Amino acid sequence: MGLKESHESAVTGPGSPMLSLAALDQLVGIGEVDTVIVAFTDMQGRLAGKRVSARLFVDEVAAHGAECCSYLLAVDVEMNTVSGYAMSSWDTGYGDMVMMPDVTTLRLVPWLPNTALVIADLGWADGSAVAASPRAILRRQLDRLGERGLAADVATELEFIVFDQSYRQAWAGGYRGLTPASDYNIDYAILASSRMEPLLRDIRLGMQGAGLRFEAVKGECNKGQQEIGFRYDEALVTCDNHAIYKNGAKEIADQHGKSLTFMAKYDEREGNSCHIHLSLRGEDGSAAFADDSHPNGMSSTFRSFVAGQLATLRELTLFFAPNINSYKRFADGSFAPTALSWGLDNRTCALRVVGHGRNIRVECRIAGGDVNQYLAVAALIVGGLYGIERGLELGEPCAGNAYENPSLQRLPATLSEAAALFETSALARDAFGDDVVAHYRNNARVEVAAFNAAVTDWERMRGFERL
């Protein structure tokens, strides 16, 4: 990750899956596209929206948007309406938001016939932005970088586990007794991963056909676990692509009669991570993080940026680990971090500095596959700017095993702890606004309450007869 050509030059041109409105109009006219998915990413990181007539999209929706209910940013994972949200409730009447297409994201999606997709920003009828929208939250932090003559490049590395059962079969069986697509640790293994290659290849080529730049795929440690890597891009572009990839991979798996999960901790073995790589560049394209005259090639800007992230990770953990299950991934000796530390190519640390010269960057290892990428990248920028604005000094890197260093602060151990830190964070309120803090604090409250009310299989196994 480092300097690159602009997003525009990288994805446009003959044969590109990215579409201008005029190109879409031509495809509609000859019958090659009949449907446009207008979608946004909700609090849970899922694509939500509607399929509209491609002709209607060209003639009206592209310019004026499409309506959707405001409750889409005020429900739990199961789409239940829940209390505590100021922007959407029974008292407000559950009115509409407007999905305003960002036509720079318009593209073909080859795994769905005759279909294009566009990412939308959310607004109200008066034209104002919906502040709690994840994409709007990231945009605000990117604007703050822009005010300082900086821009962010990002890559996200999503892991997932493949199962031989379809999603409907998995649901019908209560997600019990599923068969992973391999029988043992397949980290970097070619043979066992080849059994999944028909699915993995279709995912890779599907994403390539949707404008994502595939780099590599590799097996991971858990049974049936894989990671497909895509080339870094501008922060907003990467986060949009992340949502399309995560949704599309599930759709393609479903077409193969298989299922896959991105949940942070599926079982007691290794969890699914989402490592986030981030670097900054100046208005002139210069690599703001690189300076060979400084120790380890890290510029003073980079050092303050990482110092700020370290200083704020605990209070912003909610945006990296948003679910009950997220915190089960944080286990010593698991390649998921537990302590606030930074290191040079040290995978025991929460923040790992990798690369050199123009490609030097920080890798945040906290997030799992269940993360909302817009929120996590926004939090990384907030922490980094906190360090830059205060000229924070970065301490020495952790040279050994961060899991066994008793002097290091620990990450929050539960969703309740992370939500309480987020709610009382002056930094979060200053950077995101009181309304956003209250919104996502309520989302955590809802999840904790639902979990505490549930009786689990673990409890029945231990207590049915023996207690």
Side-chain angles (χ1 to χ4, degrees):
M1 243 187 78
L3 299 183
K4 61 175 184 60
E5 57 188 347
S6 72
H7 171 62
E8 184 69 19
S9 63
V11 298
T12 56
S16 169
M18 306 302 291
L19 299 173
S20 67
L21 202 56
L24 176 62
D25 190 18
Q26 291 178 346
L27 293 175
V28 174
I30 60 177
E32 291 193 11
V33 174
D34 53 46
T35 302
V36 177
I37 298 172
V38 182
F40 65 93
T41 300
D42 68 6
M43 283 195 296
Q44 289 79 19
R46 306 170 297 193
L47 281 186
K50 60 176 69 173
R51 287 173 166 85
V52 302
S53 154
R55 173 50 59 199
L56 181 69
F57 180 85
V58 170
D59 292 346
E60 297 184 25
V61 174
H64 304 293
E67 291 73 26
C68 65
C69 182
S70 64
Y71 98 129
L72 293 171
L73 280 181
V75 291
D76 66 8
V77 175
E78 298 193 14
M79 303 299 289
N80 296 313
T81 54
V82 291
S83 63
Y85 291 110
M87 63 165 275
S88 185
S89 66
W90 294 114
D91 291 335
T92 65
Y94 285 114
D96 278 344
M97 303 182 290
V98 181
M99 296 184 291
M100 285 303 304
D102 179 347
V103 294
T104 67
T105 70
L106 184 62
R107 72 194 68 208
L108 297 172
V109 281
W111 61 91
L112 298 175
N114 304 96
T115 298
L117 180 147
V118 67
I119 299 294
D121 289 306
L122 293 177
W124 299 113
D126 63 3
S128 62
V130 176
S133 162
R135 199 169 194 254
I137 290 169
L138 176 56
R139 275 189 182 276
R140 180 175 176 183
Q141 302 312 317
L142 293 174
D143 288 345
R144 291 180 64 207
L145 278 178
E147 291 166 2
R148 293 158 177 79
L150 297 168
D153 289 332
V154 169
T156 58
E157 298 176 336
L158 266 174
E159 295 174 351
F160 56 87
I161 299 173
V162 181
F163 298 94
D164 289 339
Q165 289 81 8
S166 71
Y167 279 111
R168 299 201 71 186
Q169 289 170 333
W171 169 275
Y175 301 104
R176 299 181 187 90
L178 299 181
T179 306
S182 73
D183 302 312
Y184 44 79
N185 183 327
I186 58 171
D187 196 22
Y188 287 93
I190 300 300
L191 173 62
S193 292
S194 293
R195 296 174 187 147
M196 286 171 263
E197 181 58 8
L199 167 61
L200 299 175
R201 185 173 186 271
D202 277 0
I203 294 174
R204 296 196 306 270
L205 296 183
M207 295 308 124
Q208 184 173 296
L212 284 71
R213 293 178 291 170
F214 150 72
E215 287 193 335
V217 59
K218 63 176 288 291
E220 288 289 346
C221 298
N222 206 336
K223 297 177 182 180
Q225 191 175 41
Q226 295 283 323
E227 175 187 289
I228 299 177
F230 297 90
R231 190 161 176 78
Y232 69 90
D233 214 316
E234 299 167 13
L236 190 64
V237 172
T238 288
C239 290
D240 291 341
N241 288 345
H242 177 118
I244 293 166
Y245 162 50
K246 193 172 181 180
N247 187 79
K250 292 179 181 179
E251 291 176 334
I252 294 168
D254 202 38
Q255 293 169 2
H256 278 254
K258 295 184 181 291
S259 57
L260 55 85
T261 184
F262 292 96
M263 66 184 296
K265 192 75 167 175
Y266 167 72
D267 58 16
E268 290 73 26
R269 292 174 59 97
E270 294 80 8
N272 287 321
S273 68
C274 177
H275 301 148
I276 302 172
H277 293 250
L278 186 150
S279 64
L280 297 184
R281 53 189 159 81
E283 291 178 326
D284 60 355
S286 59
F289 279 178
D291 189 337
D292 290 336
S293 68
H294 282 63
N296 305 311
M298 298 174 66
S299 70
S300 56
T301 295
F302 190 12
R303 295 182 66 83
S304 291
F305 196 85
V306 174
Q309 290 177 331
L310 275 178
T312 59
L313 280 177
R314 271 180 54 81
E315 59 197 285
L316 300 181
T317 296
L318 182 64
F319 273 5
F320 300 105
N323 300 302
I324 292 284
N325 181 256
S326 307
Y327 295 83
K328 297 189 175 182
R329 182 176 150 268
F330 298 154
D332 290 344
S334 68
F335 289 101
T338 58
L340 299 179
S341 57
W342 82 279
L344 299 168
D345 195 14
N346 186 337
R347 285 183 169 88
T348 71
C349 296
L351 299 175
R352 172 179 172 242
V353 172
V354 289
H356 59 275
R358 295 160 68 90
N359 292 316
I360 197 167
R361 60 199 184 272
V362 61
E363 175 195 57
C364 177
R365 298 177 61 81
I366 297 174
D370 61 339
V371 73
N372 186 314
Q373 68 280 4
Y374 296 98
L375 303 181
V377 173
L380 287 174
I381 293 170
V382 166
L385 285 176
Y386 177 87
I388 289 174
E389 290 167 351
R390 288 158 181 78
L392 296 186
E393 296 292 333
L394 183 63
E396 291 299 309
C398 177
N401 186 347
Y403 293 120
E404 296 181 352
N405 189 332
S407 68
L408 296 173
Q409 272 193 304
R410 310 288 284 190
L411 287 166
T414 66
L415 180 59
S416 293
E417 183 184 359
L421 288 167
F422 186 74
E423 183 178 30
T424 57
S425 169
L427 172 65
R429 292 185 178 278
D430 180 61
F432 301 123
D434 290 343
D435 51 350
V436 169
V437 170
H439 194 90
Y440 285 90
R441 173 64 179 93
N442 189 64
N443 182 58
R445 177 192 65 78
V446 168
E447 287 301 294
V448 170
F451 180 74
N452 288 341
V455 178
T456 66
D457 289 350
W458 183 88
E459 292 168 282
R460 292 190 185 96
M461 285 296 297
R462 291 173 76 90
F464 187 94
E465 176 182 349
R466 290 174 290 182
L467 294 181

